[in-house]
Amino acid sequence: MKDRLILMAVLTLMLLLLLSPAQASLEPPAHPLFDGDAVHEIRLTFDQPNWWTLLEDNFENYPDDPPYLPGSFEWGVVQFDSIGVRFKGNSSYGSYPGVKKSFKLDIDEYVLDQTVYGLDKLNLNNGFMDPSFVREKSCYELCEAAGLPTERTNFAALYINNTYWGLYTLVEQFDQEFIESRFGPGEEGNLWKGEPHGSLEYLGTNESSYYADYELKTNEEENDWSSLVELTDKLNNTSLASLPDTLSEIMEVSSALAMLAIDNLTVNLDSYIGRCVNYYLYHRDLDSRFVFSKWDVNESWGIFNMWNLSQTQLRQLDPLWVNPQPGQNRPLAERLWDIPQYEEIYLGHFKRLMAGAADPDRLVARMEAMRDLIRPFVYLDNNKMFTNTEFDNAMTSNIYDGPRIIPALETFIRARDSWLRGRIGTWTPADGLVLNEVMSDNNQTLADDYGDFDDWIEIVNNGAGPVNLFGYYLTDDMAYPQLYAFPDTTIQPGEYFILWADGETSEGSLHTSFKLSAGGEDLFFLDGSVIRDALTIPALGAEQPYGRWPDATGDWQLLSLATPGAENQNPTEPEEITLFINEFIALNNSGIQDSSGSYEDWLEIYNPGPDPLALGGLYLTDDLANPTQWALPDTSIAGEGFLLFWCDNDEEEGPLHTNFKLSGDGEDLGLFGRLTAGNEAIDTYTFGAQSADISEGRSTDGGSPWIFFSIPTPGASNGAGTGVVTPDTVWRLTLSPCQPDPFKSSTLFRFTIPRDEEARLEIFNVQGRRVASLIDGRMTAGQKTFEWSGRDNHGDKIASGVYFARLTLGLESKTQRLVRLR
């Protein structure tokens, strides 16, 4: 029996690996709240005697932006004295009987940079309209299996003031932290929520016409809706013949088709196909394309039914169903389905899910395992919407909430699957066939039969039997899903298969009709119309392999060694590199000249070690959110030596000329490691306003603090004799714009004091009244920083609005405008 269970576990793992495509987004870092099934005990404590009334008033009186109530948070060893707590939800708030409301927790609302292992917001959902308690988590897991960027979920036993409040579904927040973990560090594109009626119909060129139907969740201060307007324009107004080429440039079509397939497969009509709600659109910086994702899926499998469909009609819902009411257009679905290849890919999402994560036997078993885990906590939950008996019967019996029918979950799933199989057919996947390694900038690693160093793609058969590749396809453009057709050949178990992505089909059947982009792109591996495997390739440096680790089964990551046609190797551990940004000039008007005779800004790197260091593959940047901005050339720096780079945005002038310039108003500098070692920061510095022909550098080579030099020393040691500038002769009173601005919880001021003297830093409102005195006393000369939490002189959070910061030194003063958001 034990051996049989082990075998079943192994087979289940193989099936998981087989049927879960690579995400169109990155794998998020591990997190203890979401690693493995668990019921986490979370405790909230409020000191206010009337805390419940305060929560109600905040939520009901400020519906657009409910303020948070301070409370303490405890989860195991993680304990915070002050976080923000508020209610959340629409129907789950107003239509849920009793006190078990859903909550949003803002971990750093009152304490800057306070997080739960990197997450600063969490959602506690109350299980509205779901007596089974597992619909929401199960549907999110199907979203992940479909390749969508998906919020992670788990369960939480919530205690408030030491009273058990009930079992909740714990859901990750789709916010900036989510964006960077799924789409890459430095991603900061616009995120919209399709609320309250994001139909994606074209409403004209006026951006304000879209405000009522969507919520902009990031970059609110810029308030730039032009990309959303462009999407709706091209989606609705492009001819059907041109639509595939047009859409492939502005949206990740597969994510839209996968989202629609999830909604229809699970008969979740509280969604785009039904009410035009409960989805996200993220405008990805990487390629300026929209990616779609889901949220709020608790009414999946037939609960939401504003059209009064019968149980039979719900179970047999047409896979191309959209809201049938007149005037209720759904162009994202209807226009995509009008394109035959997109309809095939859409139905392929059904087939792959039904062969894997949505297979009734597997899905129901998964649900029952979760229900066994949470059953004791459900039984103890006296605030839940349904009874213990209804929880026990929810899988096989319809539950009634007044006139509303909540379908028996297992019964509904099996009936829906059986009907769909008869309607759209099935798909039987081949074991273990996956994309395994790629190189999108091959200059010397591997040559083809013609001696060309072209980009390549590796596929491996990790299964137990041979697979004939006839009928399989590869594409980097979903508008053309059959862009490359595999030859009639068989790949044996354990065999690695190399394709040349060179666009040179005349060179043979193993040469694809497309090339890879070193700047990053999508890659799809299809079995007929079913996406067998998918991959978003990041921007890669020359000769940089990207592959699965462990080989054939693991997550995609940068590899230390290219192994085309062989097993992938373990990624290299981070390199130990000690280098310093040592000196720079951002306003070079009459100092040294480059080889063309120009007075360009420059930056000096210092190697403190005794041995030379190779610099090829390292990166310099003036934007810490873009750590791969400029790759250093294949050169070296001598031991205890200096190397100068010209920051002039003139790369054509030579290998030591960067693709960025320095700003005399102040900005960031960063030196970052090789991609193969994780692109970790080696040295960074943020500088303020600069003076002409004055350099800033470390007071001793590789040391601190940073000071100004009247006689710069490019390519030589810092601080030699009279070269050091005294503050009285060079520094001037400056007050840089605070960062961030606008701000919510806190902001940082950077300023320069030119001499030892009494100084004041104060905040005034638009009426000219002083609301906060931040600094009032004698300060020493030098560059300073001050972090302000947005509180007035009484310790209270200031209201949202426009304010002015004024720095005063003697008779001099500097003023900057800033904005506080709530």
Side-chain angles (χ1 to χ4, degrees):
M1 179 66 178
K2 181 178 179 181
D3 291 342
R4 183 184 175 198
L5 289 174
I6 293 174
L7 177 60
M8 290 177 65
V10 171
L11 291 174
T12 300
L13 176 61
M14 290 178 63
L15 190 61
L16 280 166
L17 295 171
L18 166 66
L19 296 176
S20 298
Q23 297 282 0
S25 57
L26 302 175
E27 290 290 336
H31 196 283
L33 275 176
F34 301 108
D35 293 344
D37 293 339
V39 180
H40 294 284
E41 182 179 296
I42 292 178
R43 292 180 175 269
L44 301 177
T45 303
F46 300 98
D47 294 331
Q48 307 89 336
N50 60 336
W51 61 272
W52 183 262
T53 301
L54 293 172
L55 284 171
E56 286 183 321
D57 290 345
N58 287 349
F59 192 70
E60 294 172 8
N61 294 333
Y62 304 92
D64 292 334
D65 189 13
Y68 287 90
L69 186 70
S72 67
F73 172 92
E74 180 180 346
W75 165 57
V77 298
V78 179
Q79 300 182 25
F80 300 128
D81 292 335
S82 184
I83 70 164
V85 182
R86 70 168 176 84
F87 291 139
K88 64 180 288 289
N90 186 11
S91 298
S92 65
Y93 177 83
S95 301
Y96 199 108
V99 298
K100 190 182 176 185
K101 307 300 185 184
S102 295
F103 293 91
K104 185 176 292 292
L105 310 182
D106 192 335
I107 307 301
D108 65 348
E109 171 69 8
Y110 303 108
V111 180
L112 181 68
D113 295 332
Q114 180 173 267
T115 68
V116 180
Y117 295 99
L119 300 182
D120 61 10
K121 285 188 177 63
L122 295 169
N123 298 289
L124 294 169
N125 293 348
N126 62 3
F128 176 66
M129 292 305 298
D130 181 19
S132 77
F133 272 85
V134 295
R135 270 180 166 86
E136 185 170 25
K137 182 169 173 58
S138 298
C139 190
Y140 272 125
E141 290 180 355
L142 290 187
C143 291
E144 186 175 14
L148 294 173
T150 302
E151 299 98 314
R152 291 171 292 186
T153 60
N154 224 328
F155 297 102
L158 178 64
Y159 289 78
I160 301 181
N161 288 1
N162 294 320
T163 298
Y164 180 50
W165 218 254
L167 179 73
Y168 283 76
T169 303
L170 179 67
V171 183
E172 186 180 11
Q173 178 73 15
F174 202 133
D175 56 9
Q176 186 60 38
E177 285 75 22
F178 180 96
I179 288 169
E180 295 203 36
S181 70
R182 300 323 197 272
F183 301 108
E187 277 281 344
E188 51 186 16
N190 282 359
L191 173 69
W192 280 276
K193 183 186 285 186
E195 293 282 314
H197 185 74
S199 68
L200 294 176
E201 294 174 271
Y202 181 60
L203 305 177
T205 59
N206 190 339
E207 295 181 12
S208 64
S209 300
Y210 298 78
Y211 292 172
D213 290 341
Y214 308 84
E215 295 179 25
L216 179 60
K217 307 300 290 185
T218 60
N219 306 315
E220 297 98 320
E221 58 275 12
E222 287 88 354
N223 200 39
D224 181 2
W225 291 61
S226 58
S227 58
L228 180 64
V229 174
E230 179 191 24
L231 173 66
T232 62
D233 181 16
K234 292 185 176 179
L235 176 63
N236 289 272
N237 300 325
T238 304
S239 69
L240 208 58
S242 302
L243 193 58
D245 284 334
T246 299
L247 287 184
S248 65
E249 295 295 323
I250 61 172
M251 65 181 276
E252 190 181 87
V253 175
S254 181
S255 70
L257 296 173
M259 181 188 78
L260 297 170
I262 286 288
D263 287 336
N264 207 307
L265 173 64
T266 64
V267 193
N268 175 20
L269 306 186
D270 191 24
S271 65
Y272 177 82
I273 60 174
R275 289 200 305 127
C276 285
V277 293
N278 296 338
Y279 71 95
Y280 283 108
L281 308 89
Y282 175 63
H283 193 235
R284 189 166 56 192
D285 287 334
L286 172 68
D287 52 10
S288 295
R289 293 194 300 160
F290 279 97
V291 182
F292 290 81
S293 185
K294 288 290 301 167
W295 77 286
D296 196 6
V297 294
N298 61 294
E299 296 192 67
S300 301
W301 288 288
I303 290 182
F304 188 84
N305 186 12
M306 63 181 288
W307 300 270
N308 296 316
L309 302 173
S310 69
Q311 289 297 295
T312 298
Q313 288 174 317
L314 288 171
R315 294 170 183 175
Q316 298 181 3
L317 197 73
D318 190 284
L320 301 179
W321 186 92
V322 292
N323 190 330
Q325 295 174 324
Q328 293 289 316
N329 297 321
R330 302 292 183 267
L332 183 68
E334 294 165 314
R335 297 225 75 199
L336 293 184
W337 294 340
D338 280 341
I339 300 169
Q341 65 265 35
Y342 284 169
E343 181 182 341
E344 285 296 311
I345 297 297
Y346 168 72
L347 296 177
H349 281 298
F350 279 77
K351 294 175 184 177
R352 181 172 48 75
L353 287 166
M354 291 162 59
D359 174 78
D361 289 341
R362 177 176 163 183
L363 180 57
V364 170
R366 173 71 182 130
M367 290 176 166
E368 291 291 14
M370 289 191 286
R371 283 165 53 80
D372 288 343
L373 171 70
I374 65 177
R375 183 168 280 107
F377 300 92
V378 174
Y379 286 173
L380 293 173
D381 184 351
N382 294 323
N383 295 326
K384 61 181 177 288
M385 190 171 182
F386 299 93
T387 67
N388 291 341
T389 299
E390 288 171 325
F391 167 75
D392 288 333
N393 295 338
M395 297 297 289
T396 54
S397 299
N398 291 342
I399 307 297
Y400 296 86
D401 178 59
R404 194 171 187 179
I405 301 175
I406 302 172
L409 192 49
E410 178 178 357
T411 306
F412 191 96
I413 288 169
R414 294 190 181 279
R416 177 74 174 145
D417 178 82
S418 177
W419 185 83
L420 283 171
R421 288 175 186 270
R423 180 66 181 270
I424 67 174
T426 60
W427 174 64
T428 303
D431 290 345
L433 204 58
V434 294
L435 296 168
N436 196 49
E437 188 178 359
V438 298
M439 180 173 285
S440 57
D441 192 358
N442 172 32
N443 298 311
Q444 60 185 34
T445 298
L446 184 69
D448 63 14
D449 292 340
Y450 292 83
D452 299 328
F453 289 96
D454 290 319
D455 303 336
W456 48 267
I457 301 164
E458 178 189 83
I459 294 169
V460 64
N461 180 3
N462 195 42
V467 179
N468 188 278
L469 294 176
F470 183 76
Y472 285 79
Y473 302 93
L474 205 61
T475 185
D476 66 344
D477 185 349
M478 192 48 64
Y480 304 95
Q482 298 182 357
L483 199 55
Y484 168 76
F486 281 82
D488 185 3
T489 188
T490 297
I491 181 171
Q492 299 296 326
E495 183 179 354
Y496 298 84
F497 192 82
I498 299 294
L499 292 170
W500 298 98
D502 56 5
E504 297 173 337
T505 55
S506 61
E507 293 187 355
S509 62
L510 302 185
H511 294 253
T512 70
S513 52
F514 60 90
K515 296 181 178 181
L516 296 182
S517 169
E521 63 172 334
D522 296 330
L523 186 64
F524 298 93
F525 180 30
L526 296 96
D527 178 358
S529 62
V530 178
I531 298 176
R532 182 65 185 80
D533 199 1
L535 167 66
T536 295
I537 306 172
L540 298 175
E543 317 307 320
Q544 173 61 60
Y546 189 60
R548 294 182 182 272
W549 180 258
D551 181 69
T553 60
D555 295 334
W556 284 86
Q557 54 190 289
L558 300 169
L559 301 178
S560 59
L561 179 68
T563 56
E567 182 178 350
N568 291 347
Q569 299 299 306
N570 191 8
T572 300
E573 293 297 319
E575 294 176 286
E576 293 294 333
I577 296 178
T578 302
L579 290 170
F580 292 98
I581 299 171
N582 202 48
E583 188 181 3
F584 66 89
I585 247 188
L587 291 171
N588 179 19
N589 295 340
S590 60
I592 64 170
Q593 298 170 287
D594 65 11
S595 59
S596 67
S598 301
Y599 294 99
E600 304 289 7
D601 302 338
W602 51 263
L603 177 151
E604 175 191 270
I605 300 295
Y606 168 60
N607 174 15
D611 301 318
L613 285 176
L615 300 181
L618 303 184
Y619 292 89
L620 273 175
T621 182
D622 68 343
D623 179 1
L624 299 183
N626 182 14
T628 60
Q629 184 172 5
W630 183 71
L632 271 65
D634 188 12
T635 187
S636 63
I637 182 171
E640 301 180 359
F642 306 87
L643 189 61
L644 201 68
F645 295 93
W646 297 98
C647 301
D648 56 3
N649 195 24
D650 286 327
E651 289 184 283
E652 65 276 5
E653 291 191 1
L656 300 183
H657 292 253
T658 72
N659 63 357
F660 59 87
K661 295 183 177 182
L662 300 185
S663 170
D665 294 328
E667 60 175 338
D668 297 324
L669 290 174
L671 176 64
F672 286 83
R674 297 176 178 88
L675 292 173
T676 51
N679 196 216
E680 297 290 335
I682 298 171
D683 191 24
T684 63
Y685 181 59
T686 298
F687 63 90
Q690 301 291 299
S691 300
D693 297 322
I694 302 297
S695 71
E696 187 173 359
R698 299 179 181 275
S699 59
T700 58
D701 297 323
S704 61
W706 284 76
I707 63 173
F708 293 99
F709 295 89
S710 59
I711 302 177
T713 56
S717 182
N718 292 352
T722 59
V724 181
V725 179
T726 62
D728 288 326
T729 59
V730 173
W731 286 340
R732 52 192 172 88
L733 184 69
T734 65
L735 175 62
S736 299
C738 64
Q739 295 179 341
D741 181 35
F743 73 99
K744 290 185 178 180
S745 56
S746 69
T747 189
L748 187 71
F749 293 99
R750 291 186 174 90
F751 54 96
T752 304
I753 301 295
R755 57 192 175 274
D756 296 355
E757 193 171 329
E758 297 288 323
R760 296 195 308 275
L761 179 60
E762 303 163 296
I763 307 296
F764 297 85
N765 62 21
V766 292
Q767 287 79 36
R769 299 189 182 93
R770 184 173 59 197
V771 298
S773 180
L774 307 184
I775 295 173
D776 190 358
R778 190 170 183 81
M779 299 194 74
T780 58
Q783 291 183 315
K784 312 291 182 179
T785 61
F786 186 90
E787 185 175 15
W788 180 45
S789 62
R791 295 182 182 276
D792 62 19
N793 287 333
H794 302 289
D796 298 324
K797 283 278 190 179
I798 64 170
S800 59
V802 177
Y803 294 85
F804 295 91
R806 185 170 71 195
L807 176 67
T808 304
L809 189 77
L811 298 178
E812 295 182 82
S813 67
K814 298 290 182 182
T815 302
Q816 288 286 351
R817 179 180 180 273
L818 62 152
V819 178
R820 161 89 158 106
L821 298 176
R822 294 297 295 269

